[in-house]
Amino acid sequence: MYDVIIIGSGVAGSIAAYKLAEAGKKVLILEKETLPRYKTCGGGVISKVSELLPYKIDPVVECKLYKSDIYDHANDLHFIIERDIPIINMTMRSSLDHFMLTKAREVGTEIKEENEVIDINEKNGFVEVITRNQSYETKFVIAADGATGITTRKLGIQIKVKKIPAIEHEVVIEKDQFEKLNKTARFDFGLVPNGYAWVFPKKVHLSIGLLTMSKPGINLHQYFKKYLEILGITKLLSEEKHGYIIPFHSGQKNFSYGRILLAGDAAGLADPVTAEGISYAITSGIYAANSFINGKENAETVCKLYEFEIKKILTELKYARYLAFLIYKSPLLRTFVFKMYGEKLSNLMTDVITGKVKYSELLKNPLNYLKLFKLTHFKKNPR
Ligand SMILES: Cc1cc2nc3c(=O)[nH]c(=O)nc-3n(C[C@H](O)[C@H](O)[C@H](O)COP(=O)(O)OP(=O)(O)OC[C@H]3O[C@@H](n4cnc5c(N)ncnc54)[C@H](O)[C@@H]3O)c2cc1C
């Protein structure tokens, strides 16, 4: 009997396993893919993640970006943000996830790859987890099986999550064109309806992505071609195309079901402004592990502790949704926001990303709204 079985070896699963195994628990990760596996993701790890992890991820960081360029094509705006600490660390998720998994293994986690979980049954005092290969018994399960995992389906939960489409192309381009794009994290608004496009440079290639907050029906691949033109990319030396979904919280209240805790994308915890999901996946993985450790294996206590902790994330996501409304709700509203406050907003978002400030601190206090929307245009000129 395992103490905890974790379904999925993404960042949420790996960090939960690390914390549990480090505390002496008997932990098994079940992963359906062959490892290391590709994950459709920009691989941008925002700098506040370094405060969450018990180890450094430097060995898998392909480049550290101190600069970000934000374009609004609809209004011909360009904001440049620079910091003296890295704003985003660029990784490939295959390497990052494998690195984190290796850390979990080093402290005693057992890992079984090519082991797809196909069913979960809660029994009296334990859970039976069935894979295509065999079945296992465990006291608790952490479901970290991502946005399309099976846990919620098997539990019969209609999880309240808004799933939006996103694509990521891994491209190799000519050296001179690459060198124009590899020093900054670039975000482009006003190209994809209700969304944005980005360029995340890696050591020798670019991860170029697009997403839309609109309902399915928008052909992101069509916008990708247009985006290449905007970027001045004339030739792709190689290209790998990937598409997936990003899940945003949309009113879900419960994240624990008996002896099963949902973490990361399985719980729908991506940021509705930036679509960043790694930091919330890691945070929820840590919360899940701590809840098990501190709950002393009592199912009710473990769930209570987890729900209490997850509320901290939900509070942040609630305030993030306010900002997302201003940016994505309508082109008219975004024009107003970007024209009047684009520079300030870009700086504040960078402060959120670097962990200097939280959404809740930024927006909870009405005085901070005034700070954000300071009517600089109506200020008297200094004499
Ligand atoms: C195009 C795109 C770009 C993105 N860019 C960024 C970015 O730059 N920065 C950022 O912070 N976030 C980004 N995100 C979001 C981020 O990728 C996710 O929020 C994050 O990966 C969630 O991690 P996770 O561990 O919860 O799930 P995942 O990383 O999805 O891991 C889930 C794991 O579970 C496994 N699994 C699934 N089902 C089963 C099963 N039945 N049995 C066993 N194993 C199973 C999967 O194979 C997988 O390994 C992006 C998302 C997309 C789609």
Side-chain angles (χ1 to χ4, degrees):
M1 168 91 70
Y2 288 94
D3 287 322
V4 181
I5 284 183
I6 296 169
I7 309 174
S9 71
V11 288
S14 295
I15 193 63
Y18 180 95
K19 289 281 177 183
L20 287 162
E22 196 192 29
K25 304 299 174 193
K26 192 170 183 234
V27 188
L28 168 67
I29 290 186
L30 295 170
E31 167 59 53
K32 69 175 178 180
E33 303 287 343
T34 312
L35 297 169
R37 56 95 179 95
Y38 178 85
K39 156 86 184 102
T40 304
C41 181
V45 183
I46 61 173
S47 61
K48 73 172 178 191
V49 165
S50 59
E51 289 159 27
L52 304 172
L53 292 175
Y55 43 76
K56 290 201 181 317
I57 58 161
D58 285 10
V60 287
V61 172
E62 300 211 3
C63 53
K64 293 174 185 259
L65 298 177
Y66 295 78
K67 185 174 164 236
S68 123
D69 283 75
I70 297 147
Y71 291 85
D72 177 11
H73 297 284
N75 301 297
D76 212 12
L77 296 170
H78 178 196
F79 307 108
I80 302 170
I81 307 297
E82 287 186 87
R83 293 286 189 270
D84 50 12
I85 56 160
I87 300 169
I88 310 185
N89 291 308
M90 291 300 167
T91 67
M92 286 304 288
R93 285 292 301 277
S94 46
S95 313
L96 173 69
D97 294 17
H98 200 244
F99 178 80
M100 290 179 63
L101 203 57
T102 306
K103 290 284 177 195
R105 185 185 272 128
E106 279 167 11
V107 289
T109 302
E110 201 180 324
I111 298 159
K112 289 185 191 282
E113 57 188 297
E114 296 171 18
N115 240 290
E116 183 177 1
V117 173
I118 52 168
D119 209 353
I120 307 163
N121 299 310
E122 204 177 330
K123 306 259 168 153
N124 196 9
F126 71 98
V127 187
E128 180 191 35
V129 180
I130 302 164
T131 72
R132 290 201 186 279
N133 312 355
Q134 76 184 88
S135 75
Y136 304 89
E137 290 179 355
T138 178
K139 294 174 190 163
F140 279 82
V141 167
I142 296 177
D145 47 350
T148 55
I150 64 134
T151 312
T152 46
R153 262 180 286 139
K154 286 291 162 193
L155 291 176
I157 312 165
Q158 275 290 355
I159 190 158
K160 287 186 185 158
V161 160
K162 181 181 177 189
K163 294 184 175 180
I164 62 133
I167 60 167
E168 193 78 54
H169 289 205
E170 311 291 351
V171 303
V172 178
I173 58 172
E174 302 279 7
K175 195 165 175 262
D176 56 329
Q177 294 183 357
F178 178 69
E179 281 171 358
K180 283 188 193 142
L181 292 162
N182 73 346
K183 288 159 201 76
T184 183
R186 176 175 169 143
F187 301 89
D188 292 73
F189 292 84
L191 168 73
V192 186
N194 294 351
Y196 72 93
W198 65 90
V199 180
F200 283 2
K202 305 293 159 65
K203 216 177 268 172
V204 291
H205 83 279
L206 303 174
S207 298
I208 302 182
L210 291 89
L211 64 80
T212 175
M213 303 284 174
S214 299
K215 291 194 177 81
I218 288 178
N219 183 350
L220 289 172
H221 292 284
Q222 186 186 320
Y223 288 95
F224 179 77
K225 279 191 197 148
K226 237 196 214 170
Y227 193 35
L228 290 185
E229 282 169 30
I230 290 175
L231 295 171
I233 297 175
T234 49
K235 191 175 170 192
L236 299 179
L237 300 178
S238 77
E239 180 183 22
E240 266 181 44
K241 301 178 188 180
H242 302 276
Y244 200 50
I245 52 166
I246 306 180
F248 298 128
H249 179 252
S250 179
Q252 180 66 22
K253 293 219 164 54
N254 297 322
F255 297 86
S256 57
Y257 296 85
R259 294 177 167 268
I260 301 163
L261 310 181
L262 307 179
D265 270 8
L269 297 176
D271 183 312
V273 179
T274 59
E276 185 271 330
I278 295 174
S279 72
Y280 293 110
I282 289 174
T283 307
S284 59
I286 293 172
Y287 287 163
N290 287 345
S291 301
F292 177 79
I293 295 163
N294 298 330
K296 311 237 179 296
E297 302 187 11
N298 177 296
E300 212 177 301
T301 316
V302 170
C303 289
K304 258 193 196 151
L305 287 173
Y306 190 54
E307 298 292 353
F308 177 78
E309 294 293 327
I310 280 286
K311 282 214 169 64
K312 294 178 196 164
I313 296 180
L314 297 189
T315 303
E316 290 309 302
L317 295 180
K318 181 176 88 183
Y319 290 109
R321 275 201 301 277
Y322 296 159
L323 269 188
F325 178 86
L326 296 176
I327 298 171
Y328 301 111
K329 182 62 190 170
S330 82
L332 222 63
L333 190 54
R334 188 170 47 76
T335 292
F336 172 74
V337 171
F338 272 50
K339 271 196 172 167
M340 297 284 276
Y341 318 110
E343 179 108 43
K344 197 160 186 72
L345 188 63
S346 305
N347 269 301
L348 287 171
M349 282 311 302
T350 309
D351 288 344
V352 172
I353 284 174
T354 53
K356 211 170 143 190
V357 70
K358 289 180 175 175
Y359 285 119
S360 50
E361 291 161 0
L362 195 67
L363 299 174
K364 184 158 55 180
N365 182 347
L367 285 177
N368 285 334
Y369 276 107
L370 293 179
K371 255 192 248 165
L372 173 63
F373 297 126
K374 194 164 65 176
L375 298 177
T376 42
H377 290 250
F378 300 117
K379 246 173 47 179
K380 279 185 188 158
N381 286 331
R383 296 194 178 171

